[in-house]
Amino acid sequence: MPQTKIYGYEAFIARERTLISDTLQACMVEALSYPPEKRFQRFIPLSVENFVHPGDRSEKYLVIEISLFEGRAIDTKKQLIRLIFQKLQAALAIDPNDIEIILYEVPRYNWGVRGVPGDELNLNYQVKV
Protein backbone atom coordinates (compact mmCIF):
# COMPACT_ATOMS: atom_id res chain seq x y z
CA MET A 1 0.00 0.00 0.00
CA PRO A 2 2.48 2.62 -1.16
CA GLN A 3 1.96 6.13 0.17
CA THR A 4 3.62 8.72 -2.05
CA LYS A 5 4.66 12.29 -1.27
CA ILE A 6 5.60 14.50 -4.20
CA TYR A 7 7.47 17.73 -3.43
CA GLY A 8 7.96 20.34 -6.12
CA TYR A 9 7.53 23.95 -7.12
CA GLU A 10 3.95 25.07 -6.56
CA ALA A 11 3.50 26.44 -10.10
CA PHE A 12 4.73 23.22 -11.72
CA ILE A 13 2.64 20.99 -9.44
CA ALA A 14 -0.47 23.11 -10.02
CA ARG A 15 0.00 22.86 -13.78
CA GLU A 16 0.96 19.16 -14.01
CA ARG A 17 -0.54 17.46 -10.92
CA THR A 18 -2.86 15.12 -12.84
CA LEU A 19 -0.20 13.96 -15.29
CA ILE A 20 2.35 13.43 -12.52
CA SER A 21 -0.22 11.49 -10.50
CA ASP A 22 -1.27 9.30 -13.43
CA THR A 23 2.34 8.63 -14.40
CA LEU A 24 3.38 7.62 -10.88
CA GLN A 25 0.34 5.37 -10.53
CA ALA A 26 1.16 3.66 -13.83
CA CYS A 27 4.66 2.95 -12.50
CA MET A 28 3.25 1.44 -9.29
CA VAL A 29 0.88 -0.78 -11.24
CA GLU A 30 3.55 -1.96 -13.67
CA ALA A 31 6.47 -2.47 -11.29
CA LEU A 32 4.66 -3.57 -8.13
CA SER A 33 1.62 -5.32 -9.66
CA TYR A 34 -0.35 -2.83 -7.60
CA PRO A 35 -4.15 -2.49 -8.07
CA PRO A 36 -4.85 0.49 -10.37
CA GLU A 37 -7.72 1.80 -8.23
CA LYS A 38 -5.53 2.17 -5.11
CA ARG A 39 -3.93 5.59 -5.31
CA PHE A 40 -2.41 7.21 -2.23
CA GLN A 41 -0.55 10.41 -3.13
CA ARG A 42 0.08 13.71 -1.42
CA PHE A 43 1.39 16.69 -3.32
CA ILE A 44 3.44 19.18 -1.35
CA PRO A 45 3.81 22.38 -3.40
CA LEU A 46 6.69 24.57 -2.32
CA SER A 47 7.42 28.24 -2.90
CA VAL A 48 10.78 29.25 -4.29
CA GLU A 49 12.03 30.37 -0.87
CA ASN A 50 11.00 27.04 0.71
CA PHE A 51 12.62 24.71 -1.82
CA VAL A 52 16.37 24.94 -1.38
CA HIS A 53 18.40 22.75 -3.74
CA PRO A 54 21.50 22.80 -5.96
CA GLY A 55 21.44 25.26 -8.83
CA ASP A 56 21.53 22.58 -11.52
CA ARG A 57 17.85 21.68 -10.95
CA SER A 58 15.05 23.26 -12.97
CA GLU A 59 11.51 24.43 -12.20
CA LYS A 60 10.42 20.80 -12.84
CA TYR A 61 12.51 19.42 -9.97
CA LEU A 62 10.59 16.79 -7.96
CA VAL A 63 11.42 14.86 -4.81
CA ILE A 64 9.33 11.70 -4.62
CA GLU A 65 9.15 9.79 -1.34
CA ILE A 66 7.41 6.43 -1.39
CA SER A 67 6.62 4.54 1.81
CA LEU A 68 5.72 0.91 1.20
CA PHE A 69 5.40 -2.40 2.99
CA GLU A 70 8.72 -4.20 3.18
CA GLY A 71 9.14 -7.44 1.27
CA ARG A 72 9.62 -6.54 -2.37
CA ALA A 73 12.67 -7.83 -4.23
CA ILE A 74 15.54 -5.44 -4.88
CA ASP A 75 15.06 -5.88 -8.63
CA THR A 76 11.39 -4.91 -8.26
CA LYS A 77 12.30 -1.72 -6.40
CA LYS A 78 14.97 -0.87 -8.98
CA GLN A 79 12.43 -1.43 -11.74
CA LEU A 80 10.04 0.99 -10.01
CA ILE A 81 12.76 3.63 -9.78
CA ARG A 82 13.76 3.18 -13.44
CA LEU A 83 10.13 3.36 -14.58
CA ILE A 84 9.54 6.59 -12.68
CA PHE A 85 12.57 8.20 -14.35
CA GLN A 86 11.56 6.93 -17.80
CA LYS A 87 7.84 7.67 -17.63
CA LEU A 88 8.18 11.15 -16.11
CA GLN A 89 10.73 12.03 -18.76
CA ALA A 90 8.43 10.73 -21.52
CA ALA A 91 5.23 12.30 -20.15
CA LEU A 92 6.54 15.67 -18.95
CA ALA A 93 10.02 16.06 -20.45
CA ILE A 94 11.51 16.03 -16.95
CA ASP A 95 15.23 15.46 -17.08
CA PRO A 96 16.35 12.63 -14.76
CA ASN A 97 18.56 15.18 -13.00
CA ASP A 98 15.30 16.83 -11.87
CA ILE A 99 13.91 13.71 -10.21
CA GLU A 100 14.92 12.25 -6.86
CA ILE A 101 13.23 9.13 -5.53
CA ILE A 102 13.45 7.75 -2.00
CA LEU A 103 11.85 4.44 -1.05
CA TYR A 104 11.07 3.84 2.61
CA GLU A 105 10.24 0.26 3.50
CA VAL A 106 8.08 -0.20 6.57
CA PRO A 107 7.36 -3.50 8.33
CA ARG A 108 3.65 -4.23 7.93
CA TYR A 109 3.19 -4.44 11.71
CA ASN A 110 4.34 -0.78 11.96
CA TRP A 111 1.54 0.43 9.68
CA GLY A 112 -2.05 0.94 10.84
CA VAL A 113 -4.77 0.66 8.20
CA ARG A 114 -8.55 0.21 8.38
CA GLY A 115 -8.44 -0.23 12.15
CA VAL A 116 -5.77 -2.96 12.29
CA PRO A 117 -1.99 -3.33 12.07
CA GLY A 118 -0.85 -3.83 8.48
CA ASP A 119 0.26 -7.41 9.06
CA GLU A 120 -3.36 -8.32 9.88
CA LEU A 121 -4.78 -6.93 6.63
CA ASN A 122 -6.21 -9.11 3.90
CA LEU A 123 -4.72 -7.54 0.78
CA ASN A 124 -5.95 -8.02 -2.76
CA TYR A 125 -2.41 -7.81 -4.10
CA GLN A 126 0.96 -9.42 -3.41
CA VAL A 127 3.69 -7.57 -1.53
CA LYS A 128 6.46 -10.06 -2.26
CA VAL A 129 6.97 -9.32 -5.95
Side-chain angles (χ1 to χ4, degrees), residues 30-98:
E30 185 174 338
L32 304 179
S33 300
Y34 195 63
E37 70 279 3
K38 294 198 178 265
R39 188 180 302 218
F40 297 98
Q41 301 170 344
R42 292 180 302 285
F43 284 85
I44 297 114
L46 298 166
S47 61
V48 173
E49 62 271 8
N50 288 320
F51 200 14
V52 179
H53 56 74
D56 63 346
R57 305 307 194 277
S58 80
E59 74 284 347
K60 296 180 179 182
Y61 179 52
L62 296 174
V63 178
I64 301 164
E65 296 180 351
I66 304 170
S67 297
L68 62 163
F69 290 154
E70 68 180 353
R72 290 169 177 93
I74 291 172
D75 287 341
T76 299
K77 292 179 280 190
K78 286 183 175 185
Q79 179 188 14
L80 175 61
I81 289 169
R82 286 186 182 103
L83 279 172
I84 292 171
F85 282 124
Q86 292 166 3
K87 289 185 182 287
L88 284 175
Q89 186 173 30
L92 290 149
I94 301 177
D95 187 278
N97 192 54
D98 278 332

